[in-house]
Amino acid sequence: MGKVVIKSLKKSFGDLEVLKDINLEVSEGEVICIIGASGSGKSTLLRCINALEDASSGTVEVDGHDITGAHANINKYRQDIGMVFQQFNLFPHMTVLQNISFAPSSLKLKTKAEAQARSMALLKRVDLEEKANVYPEQLSGGQQQRVAIARALAMDPDVMLFDEPTSALDPEMVGEVLAVMKKLAHEGMTMIVVTHEMGFAKEVADRVIFIDEGYIVEQGPPKEIFENPKNERTINFLNKVL
Amino acid sequence: MSIPELIIQTWPRLLAGLGMTVQLTIMSLIIGGTLGLIFGLLSVSKKKTLRAIALVYVDIVRGTPLIVQAFFIYFGIPAALGIRLDPNLAGIITLSLNAGGYLAEIFRGGIESISKGQMEAARSLGLPYGMAMRKVVLPQAVRTMTPALINQCIITLKDTSILSVIGIQELTQTGRLIIANNYQTFEMWTIIAVMYFIIIMILTKISKRIERRMSYGKSSN
């Protein structure tokens, strides 16, 4: 059974139907890249997977729990679903170390000391140990995003969601963030990545999903999607971005 | 009588009046601050009814003069219920409700000034709404609110003088009573004004220091 199972997902904002009928199954360890034009619904789809957006209908199961009907337990389920945002969203009033250790220790999943030790190990993994005690505003965008990844990993999630993680970065900083994500993918993390980085999708994704106007129009291994797209809309989109 | 002579003669009463003013201010700000936080949180709630409750409260406070609020609470409500209310208690209730309304708006503005992404990031880590609000959004909101909060403290302190109309012996009422005895109108009101001025200047200085210390990177929490 899949790690993430989405069935007949629909999402409307008022009269605007953003997701029309999404069915998607993601297996353990799989890396999915979601591509598509702005406004195609790809970020909304990602945000439905941790219930930052409520589904209008359909189900989203993560680890076998239906998160669409689970408001009592949503906080518990979200602990297993890491999320990385386009705008990093680090907590500016906390140091880098506090940003990472804050959730595990506040939720009493770890003692403060354990959480800090784990946070230092994660900082080492994203190569930012020396920044443990500075505040986010003193970091570059790329460094902030690496801290944000470490913060999500501190909850030991089963799935990681990335919402255009490099779109707000200066070009020279995109590489360092993608490198961390690549490492994570190779370590077997289940990842769903909304991205405009076609190079990353080609190289790292197990499956690429093209979304247009609220539907999954085409999906398959990156080689197939990028070299031999079948749907006309996919071809049009790829012509524009490649 | 000269001003220094007047001060020497009346200072115990003036000091008692000032003490009452400060006491009323502190009590009202503590209670009003609590009300402001509660109604501020209601006004950013997802639930329409909760937002409506906050809106009605804030509109009533802002839509009526403080002096009418004081009369309503001190004379109006006790007349309707057939009870007597201690003027000091009525004064504290009035000022607390009044400050609470304005503080609710300050809290709402402060919370809304923090990017939605902060709440989302906290929730995505599995934090319940209340904890995310308390540990992520509010600490940042209070920072941006600091100037407005201090401003409200000063306004509330000055507003205590209006409570002289229901007979509370705070600084202004004390001045009126002294003048009723000695007829030194110009000198006494000068002394009273200077006393308010000094207290508010001290408050402003302290608050400026707090504001400076609260900038990111220097605090440790």
Side-chain angles (χ1 to χ4, degrees), chain B residues 5-198:
Chain B
E5 282 169 330
L6 276 173
I7 293 174
I8 289 165
Q9 197 189 49
T10 59
W11 72 268
R13 294 180 69 187
L14 289 174
L15 228 52
L18 181 66
M20 180 54 89
T21 289
V22 171
Q23 219 178 316
L24 285 171
T25 307
I26 292 173
M27 291 287 285
S28 305
L29 283 174
I30 291 172
I31 302 169
T34 313
L35 289 173
L37 175 62
I38 293 168
F39 283 93
L41 287 171
L42 291 185
S43 67
V44 297
S45 162
K46 271 189 191 164
K47 297 204 176 73
K48 241 188 198 152
T49 34
L50 297 183
R51 287 205 307 272
I53 291 168
L55 189 69
V56 168
Y57 170 53
V58 170
D59 278 353
I60 289 173
V61 167
R62 287 205 297 200
T64 53
L66 177 58
I67 195 163
V68 174
Q69 293 166 8
F71 284 150
F72 181 78
I73 288 167
Y74 183 55
F75 297 117
I77 292 178
L81 300 179
I83 54 165
R84 280 178 60 91
L85 206 52
D86 173 63
N88 290 357
L89 180 63
I92 289 172
I93 294 173
T94 307
L95 264 190
S96 300
L97 287 172
N98 185 274
Y102 289 100
L103 286 165
E105 278 297 276
I106 294 172
F107 271 103
R108 183 184 61 78
I111 292 168
E112 284 178 350
S113 76
I114 305 305
S115 125
K116 276 207 168 65
Q118 290 290 308
M119 178 54 94
E120 287 183 353
R123 297 304 305 278
S124 78
L125 291 163
L127 264 68
Y129 178 84
M131 194 189 266
M133 185 55 89
R134 205 171 65 243
K135 295 194 168 181
V136 174
V137 178
L138 278 177
Q140 298 180 60
V142 168
R143 270 171 222 231
T144 64
M145 283 160 50
T146 307
L149 281 177
I150 290 156
N151 196 34
Q152 186 57 45
C153 291
I154 291 171
I155 289 171
T156 299
L157 187 128
K158 290 201 270 193
D159 279 351
T160 55
S161 66
I162 288 175
L163 299 179
S164 62
V165 299
I166 57 170
I168 296 178
Q169 291 205 28
E170 40 66 67
L171 188 54
T172 301
Q173 177 70 356
T174 304
R176 282 163 71 176
L177 292 176
I178 292 172
I179 292 165
N181 284 331
N182 66 12
Y183 301 106
Q184 306 281 316
T185 310
F186 174 75
E187 292 80 357
M188 284 315 297
W189 285 125
T190 306
I191 294 169
I192 303 278
V194 169
M195 287 176 76
Y196 275 115
F197 186 79
I198 291 171

Side-chain angles (χ1 to χ4, degrees), chain A residues 47 78 90 93 98 135, chain B residues 118 120 123 135 219 221:
Chain A
R47 291 163 60 84
R78 276 191 183 131
L90 292 180
H93 59 304
Q98 288 165 343
Y135 284 84
Chain B
Q118 290 290 308
E120 287 183 353
R123 297 304 305 278
K135 295 194 168 181
S219 67
N221 60 338

Side-chain angles (χ1 to χ4, degrees), chain A residues 1-233:
Chain A
M1 200 191 67
K3 204 79 186 152
V4 178
V5 182
I6 299 170
K7 284 183 190 149
S8 316
L9 174 66
K10 290 183 183 166
K11 172 67 186 175
S12 304
F13 294 104
D15 290 336
L16 183 71
E17 197 171 34
V18 179
L19 298 177
K20 285 164 186 158
D21 183 25
I22 300 284
N23 292 282
L24 178 65
E25 199 166 326
V26 182
S27 15
E28 178 139 24
E30 200 177 7
V31 177
I32 303 274
C33 280
I34 303 176
I35 60 171
S38 309
S40 58
K42 53 195 192 313
S43 282
T44 305
L45 169 58
L46 199 71
R47 291 163 60 84
C48 284
I49 301 175
N50 68 353
L52 280 184
E53 302 292 353
D54 287 322
S56 302
S57 68
T59 59
V60 178
E61 281 179 25
V62 181
D63 280 330
H65 306 295
D66 181 4
I67 62 158
T68 52
H71 281 273
N73 286 323
I74 189 63
N75 297 320
K76 183 103 194 56
Y77 298 156
R78 276 191 183 131
Q79 293 177 13
D80 297 325
I81 311 168
M83 177 119 180
V84 175
F85 299 85
Q86 184 176 350
Q87 300 294 343
F88 330 131
N89 296 343
L90 292 180
F91 307 130
H93 59 304
M94 299 182 192
T95 63
V96 163
L97 189 68
Q98 288 165 343
N99 261 280
I100 303 171
S101 62
F102 162 66
S105 69
S106 294
L107 293 168
K108 309 230 181 312
L109 304 173
K110 289 188 168 77
T111 67
K112 209 172 170 193
E114 282 167 358
Q116 288 191 350
R118 168 91 170 114
S119 301
M120 281 310 295
L122 285 167
L123 271 178
K124 194 171 178 179
R125 227 165 118 188
V126 298
D127 217 10
L128 285 169
E129 293 163 275
E130 75 285 0
K131 301 289 187 190
N133 295 312
V134 309
Y135 284 84
E137 66 170 11
Q138 290 157 269
L139 300 179
S140 72
Q143 291 172 329
Q144 288 194 45
Q145 194 60 300
R146 279 144 67 198
V147 172
I149 294 172
R151 178 177 68 178
L153 290 175
M155 297 299 294
D156 298 311
D158 297 327
V159 183
M160 283 283 283
L161 310 177
F162 293 84
D163 189 6
E164 303 194 26
T166 58
S167 296
L169 296 176
D170 291 334
E172 74 271 20
M173 289 166 187
V174 170
E176 62 191 69
V177 171
L178 292 182
V180 169
M181 290 167 62
K182 217 176 288 178
K183 207 158 80 179
L184 208 54
H186 289 317
E187 287 165 7
M189 177 62 77
T190 309
M191 292 165 60
I192 304 176
V193 185
V194 168
T195 187
H196 293 291
E197 293 292 330
M198 298 303 151
F200 177 82
K202 256 184 221 174
E203 191 188 334
V204 184
D206 297 308
R207 185 155 41 122
V208 174
I209 289 177
F210 173 65
I211 291 198
D212 193 41
E213 288 178 6
Y215 293 102
I216 294 180
V217 171
E218 191 165 354
Q219 57 177 309
K223 213 171 152 58
E224 210 171 281
I225 297 285
F226 288 111
E227 286 169 23
N228 190 21
K230 295 192 178 58
N231 191 291
E232 200 181 323
R233 284 190 280 176

